[in-house]
Amino acid sequence: MNPIEIKNVYKTYTRKRFLSFGKREETPVLQDVSLCLKENHVLGLVGESGCGKTTLSKIILGLEKASSGQVIVDGKEISKLTKPAFKKLRRLMQVIFQDPYSSLDPRMNVGQIIGEPLDIHGLYKDKLSRRKILEELVKSVGLSPEHLTRYPHEFSGGQRQRIAIARALALDPKVLIADEPVSALDVSVQAQILNLLKEIKQKRRLSMLFVSHDFAVARFLCDEIAVMYKGRIMEYAPAEELFSNPQHPYTEALFSAVPVPDPVRQKKREAVSLTARPGMENHPCPFAPRCAYVCEACHTAPLLAQVRPGHFCACAALPFKNKKSSFAV
Amino acid sequence: MLQNRIFKRFTRNKTSLVGLLLVCFFAFIALFAPVLAPVDNARNPYQMPQSSYAIEPQTPSASHWFGTTEQQYDLYYGVVWGARLAFKIGITVTFFAFLIGLLVGSAAAYFGGKTDEVIMRLTDVVFAVPSLVLAMVIAAMLGPDIKNMMIALTAVAWPSYARLVRGDILSVKQRDFVTAARALGAGGPRIMLRHILPNSIYPSVVVASLDIGYIVLTAASLSFLGLGAQPGTADWGQLIAMARNWVLGTSGNTLAYWHTVFIPGGAIFFFVLGWNLLGDAFRDILDPRQG
């Protein structure tokens, strides 16, 4: 059984304007998103800011409701669960946020922060066993038991993220949802946290949904990657397949923007322009205004179709696209 | 650690030390009022003793250290017991205004939508009328009495707390640690009491400490206008009201009855100054932008 399955999820934000007499402004955030997180796999969710990555992770966590579609966690559809049943289900999936400065309560010490999930779900017998669990947790994320009585402001960004990871692990979840867990950290610290996540994933046999806008980071950790654009999945493939064989024009453009650590090669590369052309806002393909390959084939909305074994891509112009791409990562 | 930091801040800034000393000084007087100015019989201690019924105030002497005011009320007794009354009024009114504001403000922020709209427009109505005028109207409607004056002051003071608490809760609610608590399965009351309130209450505490002085000042104004304490009550505003006819002194000597105004006036002045300096110090200490 797959830990998380998402089927045809739509999400639309409606906003009632002041004095608009019932007129509503609708903003589609997610459109027909279907994904599947396999056991002990890391699924990367990549895309530019505002494409709906975070909204999708919030919907999975039950912090927001999908407008339609199904989210199935551990075989149970979350919208059909009662409150106590969903609270129980929460133990299976935990979250790590992007900003470790805002994700820890400044007026609680580390022991209280990491111990809170244990308190909420009543997961210990007495104070001694609680203390023991906490000590094991801090050790497992590379901190020491002395840190339990300290306050978040005494720690660096990387250490704070370790505390957040320890809190997420306190409930012994099966799934970790990591919402850009390293993008707020220094590059040197990023590597430490990524290694820690990888180690924890292997030790605890976790599945992970890894939201990121950084392909290098996603490549390091992910088994599969889904590329999102304007609330839709554009391309979905095993990580190595995606990097060696990007199909969608948007994925190509994103790859061309990732710098290569070789000055000679980097100089020769040319970034694909992503400037939107005006007058194409109503095109059936959401990416058309910024796409270099728009042609007659693009007159219908593109559907996610299998282009190679296990590799899905939503582009109608794919068969006509010039295959010689000038950039390899 | 936190205590240490507070102590350092206090000693670093001389004005905040002055504020603390002033407030401590008045607190000492208020606490030991029965010792400093003994009550001669079991009557209401806030009723000042009268040595005779002569109208003209007497200048300070051995029997009346601060002199007497109109109708021979002892000024020393009035100032000492007035300090006790000032604390009583300032702290009671601020406490209840804070409590009401906290409840109403958190209800507005927690429920949102229509509830929020109704509550906030209600506070706007109170804000629209100058607070002293509104307090006067309410006090006049309820009748002149210290208790009624305190009710009027509370009714005027709570909306600023409600507004402050609501705004702070709304901003804290957006922070990731609240979302994280929800993802952990924490319920509404736990999130409110453990995460949101402890992180949003401090600005209101600062305002409360600044407010105590201001409330006492407004109470004195109401008493001066005859809408608060009644003649003969040991209340600083009332003492100044009784000095009204003697402010100009005698012809040729304008300062003949100076003590009737300057002594209770000075008490109010230093009391309010002390709380203001203390409030400023609190604001500096609790400001998270400073290290």
Side-chain angles (χ1 to χ4, degrees), chain A residues 258-285:
Chain A
V258 179
V260 174
D262 176 347
V264 182
R265 269 175 67 202
Q266 172 70 20
K267 255 188 189 164
K268 284 187 199 150
R269 294 165 79 235
E270 213 176 299
V272 177
S273 166
L274 273 173
T275 319
R277 291 181 293 273
M280 292 179 77
E281 287 78 16
N282 294 323
H283 198 280
C285 174

Side-chain angles (χ1 to χ4, degrees), chain A residues 89-95 137 165-177 200 204-207:
Chain A
L89 194 69
R90 282 191 188 285
R91 285 174 53 179
L92 297 181
M93 49 176 183
Q94 276 306 311
V95 60
L137 278 169
I165 292 170
R167 173 177 59 189
L169 294 177
L171 295 174
D172 201 14
K174 278 188 184 167
V175 181
L176 215 52
I177 292 169
I200 286 168
R204 298 189 171 231
R205 295 195 55 78
L206 282 172
S207 317

Side-chain angles (χ1 to χ4, degrees), chain B:
Chain B
M1 179 220 63
L2 184 74
Q3 286 77 9
N4 217 337
R5 211 180 73 199
I6 290 175
F7 184 73
K8 243 190 219 158
R9 288 270 176 77
F10 252 118
T11 45
R12 196 166 63 197
N13 193 343
K14 285 213 179 76
T15 51
S16 52
L17 209 61
V18 171
L20 186 69
L21 283 177
L22 278 172
V23 171
C24 285
F25 173 69
F26 279 107
F28 175 81
I29 292 176
L31 275 175
F32 293 99
V35 182
L36 293 168
V39 189
D40 25 309
N41 47 43
R43 60 190 166 74
N44 174 12
Y46 290 110
Q47 188 66 36
M48 288 185 287
Q50 254 172 314
S51 47
S52 77
Y53 292 92
I55 295 241
E56 199 189 341
Q58 300 296 311
T59 46
S61 61
S63 55
H64 299 290
W65 291 352
F66 288 174
T68 60
T69 186
E70 195 176 79
Q71 297 183 334
Q72 307 313 310
Y73 287 111
D74 184 36
L75 259 180
Y76 172 73
Y77 188 95
V79 168
V80 168
W81 282 87
R84 205 175 167 110
L85 194 61
F87 269 102
K88 206 170 135 186
I89 293 171
I91 289 173
T92 315
V93 170
T94 309
F95 175 77
F96 281 107
F98 184 81
L99 201 68
I100 296 170
L102 189 68
L103 289 175
V104 171
S106 27
Y110 188 81
F111 294 114
K114 289 235 165 71
T115 323
D116 184 25
E117 201 69 26
V118 169
I119 289 174
M120 284 303 116
R121 293 302 78 76
L122 207 71
T123 65
D124 283 346
V125 170
V126 181
F127 273 120
V129 186
S131 58
L132 183 60
V133 177
L134 189 62
M136 272 165 61
V137 171
I138 298 172
M141 266 164 33
L142 295 172
D145 173 41
I146 290 183
K147 206 197 267 163
N148 291 340
M149 179 181 73
M150 277 156 67
I151 293 172
L153 288 172
T154 310
V156 173
W158 70 265
S160 58
Y161 293 101
R163 226 182 222 196
L164 205 60
V165 166
R166 171 184 171 270
D168 285 319
I169 287 179
L170 286 182
S171 84
V172 172
K173 222 168 119 179
Q174 300 293 322
R175 309 260 300 271
D176 279 343
F177 64 80
V178 175
T179 318
R182 280 209 291 150
L184 291 173
R190 185 191 183 90
I191 290 176
M192 197 72 188
L193 296 174
R194 284 284 180 90
H195 295 288
I196 296 180
L197 280 182
N199 282 291
S200 52
I201 211 168
Y202 284 89
S204 307
V205 172
V206 172
V207 171
S209 64
L210 283 165
D211 243 10
I212 292 178
Y214 178 73
I215 296 271
V216 168
L217 198 63
T218 316
S221 318
L222 289 179
S223 289
F224 180 79
L225 294 168
L227 292 166
Q230 288 313 289
T233 311
D235 174 87
W236 294 340
Q238 181 56 42
L239 287 177
I240 293 181
M242 285 194 283
R244 198 161 27 195
N245 296 329
W246 312 95
V247 176
L248 295 176
T250 53
S251 61
N253 184 7
T254 40
L255 287 177
Y257 307 111
W258 65 273
H259 61 284
T260 58
V261 186
F262 279 95
I263 288 174
I268 296 175
F269 175 80
F270 285 112
F271 186 86
V272 176
L273 181 71
W275 278 107
N276 267 322
L277 295 178
L278 199 64
D280 278 340
F282 275 141
R283 190 177 52 197
D284 289 345
I285 289 163
L286 296 172
D287 187 353
R289 277 169 299 185
Q290 293 184 5

